[in-house]
Amino acid sequence: MKYVYFFGAGKADGTGDMKEVLGGKGAGLAEMTRIGLPVPAGFTITTVACDHYFKHGKKYPKELRSEVAKHLAHLEKLTGKKLGDAKDPLLVSVRSGSARSMPGMMETILNLGLNDKSVQGIAKATKNDRFAYDAYRRFVQMYSSVVIGLPKEDLEARLRAMKSRLGVKDDTQVTADGWRELVGEYKAYFKQKTGKDFPEDPVEQLWGAIGAVFESWMGEKAVTYRRVEKITGLLGTAVNVVQMVFGNTGDNSGTGVCFTRDPSTGEKTFFGDFLLNAQGEDVVAGIRTPMHLSELKTRMPKVYKQLEKVRQTLEKHYRDMQDMEFTVENGKLYMLQTRTGKRSPGAAFQMAVDMANEKLISREEALERLKSEDIERLFYPVIDPKLPRAELASRKLAEGINAVPGAAVGKAVFTAEEAEQWAERGEKVILVRRETSPEDVGGMYVAQGILTATGGKTSHAAVVARGWGKCCIVGAEKVDIDAEAKKMSSNGHVVREGDWITLDGGDGSVYSGEIELARPEPPKAYETLMKWADDVRRLRVRTNADTPHDARAARGMGAQGIGLCRTEHMFFKDFERPEKSAERQQAIQEMILADDSESRRKALAKLLPFQRRDFIGIFEAMNGLPVTIRLVDPPLHEFVPHDPAKQAELAKKIGITAEAVARRVEQLHEANPMLGHRGCRLSITYPEILEMQVRAIIEAAIDCQKRGVKVLPEIMHPLVLDKKEFQILEEATRRVADKIISDAKVKLEYLVGTMIELPRAAILAGEIAELAEFFSFGTNDLTQTTMGLSRDDAGRFLPEYVDERKAAIFKTDPFQTLDVEGVGMLVKWAIEHGRKTRPKLKIGICGEHGGDADSVKFCHEVGMDYVSASPFRVPIARLAAAQAVIEDKKRKKHKK
Ligand code: PEP
Ligand code: MG
């Protein structure tokens, strides 16, 4: 096994496509060397060595020491310099770099090889004492904090004290003696803290640095970053040991960072920052304000011309926007890094479209370049990126699970009712709840964002908020909410009703105060690219929408129908006429509290016009596209009040005793309602609910049809177990529907189908398909029931199941990305057997997975007809469906 790859003098052991092994930086250095660009020489220790290190109790592979020694000797020979030499010593940088770029998340050590002897060598060689001792103090400072872990603040304090002793403000004013003195202080501090002398032996320094870079792979920052960016399956970080070149030797030197195109707009302009007489980290750390790259053109025209050529070479070579670091040492240009540059979501679209139009890449490649996050982030407001990080950090209150991205600002309120009252007065609110229930839907709707102390990504609050594209943080367990006292406390702060808070749904952070937000405009390139996606994909994309408003919004996002309309959401809120909400609520509550089917029917008759009206609105919005309407699903206890005051109020309204209400609510209590009296079981035991809902659907459809609005209703039963159960539902549905249709003397096509959300239904799909005209996989429940994981509670321990430093049992949250091996197996089985019975069986998915790119690709592979996603995830599904076709094509080509 080869663990070390050399590059230098136009030759490299590795190549640009060895990112997995050499990391992005190592592969870039090797490739740039190969294609003749000016790169300082060095070697890369592979990610495989890092993997070995963590798998073997932090021990290096046994060959590593001799391999490093061999390549170090080679480097010394090539450069004609020696590490630690008293004359003109070799200095190296030791940098991290994994296969996926993780900017700033891992460690770097510069100027390694300096000690009391070699610093004099550098001083002599550069004829610059000040430069030499500045380099030395930087090294001691970095080594002490990065390798040994001494507090940065203690080191900085010594630097500040020294400057104030000398009476200078800027680092540039410190003399050689000042730096020399600081080195002495650092070393004394080092000895005091560690009990050892600062290592003088450059080889010892080197191994210290290699170890520190490996360690930084598992550092807090890096692990969090990988979780947030969903980076999995990498071996570790590589370590790049590269000859130092200096941008801080005088005014004929400098350092900079540049991009082949503008990373924030995507425009094809050469973009970058440059600092004269400075070392690389000065640009990144923002200590001095850099100048625009165009300035380099006037200051160093020859270097600029050369850099412009490098820009063109690299972009053509990599066929993507590159982010490059360079240093100019005494007028000579060196390239220190090239990598595919990070870009804003808007720029990602712009560049993909431009590059395809320029024929640098194909349209298919353009489609492959975009990620779901690019789309997601395009639409949500964000915390103004110009805000200083330190200010944000000082305002942080808590962290939760980032259920719906984007940011929201508002005044904290602790009940849904208050949210509605405040909103009515024109206030912006954030609804803060321990958990939410369907009763809260009105408050959630008017809130800017939602924060809950419990729950996971598919908990009610999250599912509903996602449908609205509303910022939502759930499972912020450390937030202590006292709804009665109207306050919450967290991290030593108390937030009372009316206090401003800000949520960042992107990373799950909760901040105090009103923080500035910015909303990015979706660029024209987005429309172009989505059209290309539509031309390629086979899967159709529908939406989960419960209101005409959402249905319209979803069409704007490209939805080709509704895959799931959850009718129960209509029981609580009149989205078009909020003043009618109370009437709806009372009708449903009366229905639930009714003692016999007669009074239940009476209450249902009050609900009928509301539901019919809703369906008419939805059919109109969808104008001829298919609409799948699901009959009532949640357990009834979710619709009745639990606190005595509200029960008394309700009792008064409907003219029964408060005790009767309390008794009925008590009767409805279930130990495990998710596996209880819910789904189609409600229609089996209370057929009058089914009758009312089917009537509302069919009457709405007929009404629309008469007015020339085309309709394609699909009536869907939830939580079906088997054929026998479905048969009862299907017959009841057809009996009601057909009678209305024949009484109205019209022709109306409609379908009756089922959700597949229980393992038993999946297993018996072949029989169910004898009667069902379509299947829709409810993978939220199917995941819950297959894995035995509660979708509402699993958030408490799931993070540990997916944390790579903890149990790491799952790669991703199974409620977010479909568990292909387990749940996916049932899906495949059900499709295969369903289609055996009924070859034209229409099949889709309506669980949250329908808006997750990886899951959409699975749905394509298993031959579904469509996926259904919440409105804001429709474009994500469209893109993923196109990518699925492209990947498929590639796989087939590969097989041939
Ligand atoms: C499901 O279970 O996947 C589903 C879509 O239904 P719900 O989320 O409403 O239970
Ligand atoms: Mg379900």
Side-chain angles (χ1 to χ4, degrees):
M1 168 71 72
K2 179 175 169 66
Y3 289 108
V4 184
Y5 285 70
F6 195 84
F7 54 87
K11 284 197 210 126
D13 297 342
T15 60
D17 51 21
M18 291 177 70
K19 263 200 202 163
E20 294 300 321
V21 179
L22 301 179
K25 185 172 286 154
L29 288 167
E31 192 68 14
M32 285 197 294
T33 305
R34 277 172 177 269
I35 61 176
L37 296 182
V39 176
F43 54 87
T44 305
I45 302 171
T46 63
T47 58
V48 184
C50 180
D51 186 45
H52 179 107
Y53 177 80
F54 284 109
K55 284 198 178 133
H56 294 82
K58 305 199 173 180
K59 285 211 177 66
Y60 301 118
K62 62 178 186 318
E63 315 85 308
L64 191 64
R65 279 190 188 266
S66 61
E67 263 195 75
V68 167
K70 187 179 91 188
H71 287 96
L72 183 60
H74 186 183
L75 181 62
E76 290 182 328
K77 196 160 163 229
L78 195 76
T79 56
K81 297 180 181 193
K82 275 189 153 1
L83 263 192
D85 195 37
K87 265 203 252 120
D88 182 9
L90 169 70
L91 300 186
V92 293
S93 65
V94 181
R95 295 169 188 260
S96 55
S98 70
R100 293 269 307 273
S101 109
M102 300 168 48
M105 299 299 142
M106 293 185 294
E107 299 298 355
T108 289
I109 292 106
L110 301 178
N111 304 345
L112 189 136
L114 279 171
N115 55 25
D116 289 345
K117 216 167 67 185
S118 60
V119 70
Q120 292 173 27
I122 288 285
K124 253 183 257 156
T126 59
K127 299 193 186 65
N128 190 339
D129 266 17
R130 191 194 166 278
F131 163 75
Y133 281 92
D134 182 17
Y136 195 15
R137 71 89 193 176
R138 286 176 194 248
F139 169 60
V140 177
Q141 192 173 339
M142 259 191 181
Y143 195 91
S144 303
S145 68
V146 172
V147 180
I148 310 297
L150 300 182
K152 270 197 180 116
E153 188 35 46
D154 284 1
L155 297 156
E156 289 286 340
R158 282 167 173 75
L159 170 62
R160 279 197 303 273
M162 185 270 289
K163 283 202 288 194
S164 91
R165 266 200 316 276
L166 294 180
V168 301
K169 244 178 84 205
D170 290 336
D171 287 5
T172 48
Q173 297 167 294
V174 180
T175 58
D177 283 341
W179 292 132
R180 191 183 288 123
E181 195 185 310
L182 189 62
V183 169
E185 280 190 41
Y186 282 167
K187 287 189 164 184
Y189 171 69
F190 186 97
K191 177 125 198 210
Q192 175 207 332
K193 286 297 230 192
T194 63
K196 286 189 215 143
D197 285 322
F198 189 85
E200 287 279 307
D201 174 8
V203 175
E204 185 187 340
Q205 293 175 355
L206 179 60
W207 283 101
I210 292 170
V213 171
F214 277 172
E215 283 292 329
S216 70
W217 173 252
M218 281 296 176
E220 182 88 32
K221 283 189 287 192
V223 170
T224 310
Y225 185 82
R226 289 198 291 278
R227 177 167 52 76
V228 172
E229 290 289 310
K230 300 200 194 106
I231 299 176
T232 55
L234 300 188
L235 290 172
T237 180
V239 183
N240 299 288
V241 179
V242 187
Q243 182 191 6
M244 282 294 302
V245 286
F246 293 95
N248 54 344
T249 58
D251 279 347
N252 200 18
S253 299
T255 188
V257 176
C258 55
F259 297 82
T260 57
R261 299 183 190 219
D262 186 330
S264 53
T265 64
E267 206 186 326
K268 198 178 177 183
T269 52
F270 200 10
F271 181 97
D273 287 332
F274 178 74
L275 266 180
L276 275 181
N277 195 11
Q279 227 177 7
E281 82 261 26
D282 298 343
V283 180
V284 193
I287 308 168
R288 285 161 54 191
T289 313
M291 44 183 138
H292 191 265
L293 204 58
S294 53
E295 191 82 357
L296 185 67
K297 202 172 178 174
T298 42
R299 305 244 181 172
M300 299 182 185
K302 255 174 74 188
V303 170
Y304 183 85
K305 222 167 134 193
Q306 203 186 348
L307 192 63
E308 170 66 54
K309 223 169 135 207
V310 170
R311 168 196 178 203
Q312 288 172 21
T313 309
L314 283 178
E315 201 179 82
K316 226 188 236 146
H317 189 77
Y318 284 101
R319 304 162 69 243
D320 202 349
M321 187 266 272
Q322 296 296 294
D323 160 359
M324 307 168 295
E325 281 179 22
F326 64 94
T327 282
V328 183
E329 188 183 73
N330 300 326
K332 183 166 168 22
L333 175 71
Y334 290 97
M335 298 309 299
L336 302 187
Q337 168 164 307
T338 187
R339 61 180 171 195
T340 297
K342 299 235 173 245
R343 54 206 75 185
S344 77
F349 280 93
Q350 192 63 51
M351 286 181 201
V353 169
D354 285 349
M355 287 181 190
N357 288 340
E358 289 160 25
K359 305 250 178 309
L360 185 62
I361 57 176
S362 66
R363 281 191 180 180
E364 294 194 345
E365 280 172 302
L367 286 166
E368 279 182 296
R369 292 239 170 125
L370 286 147
K371 298 188 297 287
S372 16
E373 292 79 30
D374 294 325
I375 297 183
E376 207 165 20
R377 291 169 189 166
L378 208 55
F379 287 101
Y380 294 125
V382 290
I383 288 193
D384 195 337
K386 291 199 283 293
L387 218 69
R389 284 183 160 260
E391 188 188 333
L392 265 186
S394 70
R395 291 198 188 191
K396 190 142 169 177
L397 290 178
E399 242 172 54
I401 300 169
N402 48 343
V404 185
V409 182
K411 293 179 175 172
V413 291
F414 297 92
T415 67
E417 279 150 35
E418 268 152 358
E420 290 191 85
Q421 287 160 10
W422 283 61
E424 214 151 275
R425 298 203 301 264
E427 302 266 21
K428 286 184 168 179
V429 297
I430 302 280
L431 178 61
V432 182
R433 302 282 289 149
R434 258 196 71 67
E435 66 252 316
T436 66
S437 79
E439 276 182 286
D440 289 343
V441 73
M444 291 167 68
Y445 191 69
V446 296
Q448 304 295 311
I450 298 148
L451 169 65
T452 73
T454 62
K457 278 195 171 168
T458 58
S459 66
H460 180 76
V463 171
V464 173
R466 197 167 300 129
W468 296 330
K470 185 165 304 223
C471 166
C472 175
I473 296 175
V474 295
E477 305 246 347
K478 295 225 171 86
V479 177
D480 189 11
I481 297 170
D482 187 344
E484 224 139 82
K486 300 185 176 185
K487 64 173 191 182
M488 68 176 210
S489 43
S490 176
N491 199 14
H493 294 261
V494 177
V495 174
R496 294 178 197 284
E497 186 181 55
D499 290 350
W500 286 94
I501 56 172
T502 301
L503 308 183
D504 185 348
D507 67 0
S509 300
V510 183
Y511 299 102
S512 64
E514 189 181 4
I515 294 176
E516 195 87 12
L517 301 189
R519 186 185 276 279
E521 274 289 307
K524 236 178 96 201
Y526 161 80
E527 302 293 342
T528 310
L529 211 110
M530 293 314 291
K531 165 137 196 341
W532 293 353
D534 294 342
D535 291 343
V536 170
R537 69 187 159 93
R538 177 192 64 76
L539 269 179
R540 297 179 74 77
V541 178
R542 298 196 194 180
T543 191
N544 293 357
D546 314 326
T547 67
H549 174 266
D550 289 356
R552 279 190 293 272
R555 277 199 76 171
M557 298 281 191
Q560 297 165 290
I562 289 182
L564 173 63
C565 171
R566 291 177 166 102
T567 51
E568 64 272 9
H569 289 168
M570 302 167 170
F571 292 162
F572 259 98
K573 175 100 191 156
D574 196 315
F575 290 87
E576 313 267 291
R577 299 169 304 168
E579 71 283 1
K580 295 274 186 191
S581 295
E583 229 178 285
R584 293 183 177 225
Q585 279 173 30
Q586 194 178 319
I588 180 76
Q589 288 169 333
E590 250 181 84
M591 188 281 286
I592 294 168
L593 296 172
D595 279 336
D596 50 47
S597 88
E598 187 55 29
S599 10
R600 233 180 339 263
R601 275 181 207 284
K602 255 170 65 195
L604 285 164
K606 293 185 195 168
L607 267 180
L608 176 73
F610 287 115
Q611 289 236 295
R612 190 170 48 216
R613 194 187 150 94
D614 290 335
F615 295 140
I616 288 175
I618 289 177
F619 287 138
E620 282 174 347
M622 281 295 149
N623 194 15
L625 296 173
V627 176
T628 306
I629 297 168
R630 179 183 74 186
L631 303 196
V632 63
D633 181 53
L636 296 183
H637 81 90
E638 287 192 9
F639 300 103
V640 285
H642 290 252
D643 74 281
K646 283 213 191 118
Q647 288 180 350
E649 200 183 309
L650 176 63
K652 212 165 128 198
K653 271 197 217 147
I654 59 176
I656 56 172
T657 65
E659 290 72 39
V661 174
R663 205 177 327 116
R664 184 73 181 123
V665 172
E666 181 58 35
Q667 275 169 2
L668 289 171
H669 175 80
E670 289 177 297
N672 201 344
M674 267 308 200
L675 299 179
H677 196 186
R678 60 168 287 220
C680 68
R681 298 161 199 178
L682 293 168
S683 293
I684 295 279
T685 44
Y686 304 122
E688 45 296 343
I689 303 183
L690 175 149
E691 286 163 21
M692 182 279 284
Q693 291 202 294
V694 172
R695 173 172 292 279
I697 297 167
I698 298 297
E699 287 180 352
I702 292 175
D703 177 277
C704 286
Q705 213 178 45
K706 279 189 179 154
R707 287 181 292 113
V709 179
K710 268 180 78 187
V711 281
L712 275 175
E714 301 175 345
I715 301 170
M716 179 159 80
H717 294 282
L719 220 74
V720 164
L721 273 167
D722 64 12
K723 179 181 156 191
K724 188 135 191 215
E725 187 184 33
F726 184 71
Q727 188 167 5
I728 298 171
L729 301 163
E730 193 247 357
E731 281 172 9
T733 305
R734 292 206 184 278
R735 197 179 326 116
V736 177
D738 292 346
K739 169 102 176 43
I740 301 169
I741 294 169
S742 79
D743 285 354
K745 300 193 176 47
V746 291
K747 259 200 163 153
L748 176 76
E749 300 279 335
Y750 69 95
L751 302 182
V752 185
T754 179
M755 294 188 75
I756 301 287
E757 39 187 356
L758 295 175
R760 189 163 200 270
I763 292 165
L764 301 178
E767 290 178 17
I768 297 176
E770 289 169 23
L771 301 170
E773 293 177 293
F774 64 88
F775 283 177
S776 177
F777 287 93
T779 43
N780 301 334
D781 275 312
L782 190 59
T783 299
Q784 166 166 269
T785 49
T786 302
M787 299 184 117
L789 277 178
S790 158
R791 57 196 270 199
D792 291 316
D793 304 315
R796 289 192 196 161
F797 58 88
L798 261 186
E800 192 156 331
Y801 266 61
V802 291
D803 190 330
E804 57 182 316
R805 280 197 302 187
K806 294 186 179 157
I809 292 167
F810 302 142
K811 268 207 193 111
T812 48
D813 178 343
F815 287 107
Q816 214 179 332
T817 301
L818 195 82
D819 157 44
V820 168
E821 294 98 17
V823 179
M825 186 73 91
L826 283 172
V827 172
K828 267 195 204 160
W829 172 278
I831 294 178
E832 199 185 305
H833 288 80
R835 289 233 170 99
K836 222 182 244 165
T837 307
R838 188 187 286 262
K840 291 231 161 105
L841 185 69
K842 209 176 195 183
I843 298 176
I845 184 174
C846 64
E848 287 298 287
H849 304 93
D852 170 74
D854 288 338
S855 313
V856 169
K857 289 177 187 173
F858 169 80
C859 295
H860 168 89
E861 265 169 54
V862 296
M864 287 191 195
D865 297 302
Y866 70 88
V867 297
S868 188
S870 44
F872 285 88
R873 301 193 73 85
V874 164
I876 294 175
R878 286 161 68 196
L879 176 67
Q883 289 173 340
V885 173
I886 297 166
E887 283 166 25
D888 224 16
K889 230 160 108 182
K890 268 194 185 159
R891 261 196 305 270
K892 280 187 189 135
K893 209 164 144 192
H894 201 70
K895 263 193 207 149
K896 273 188 205 159

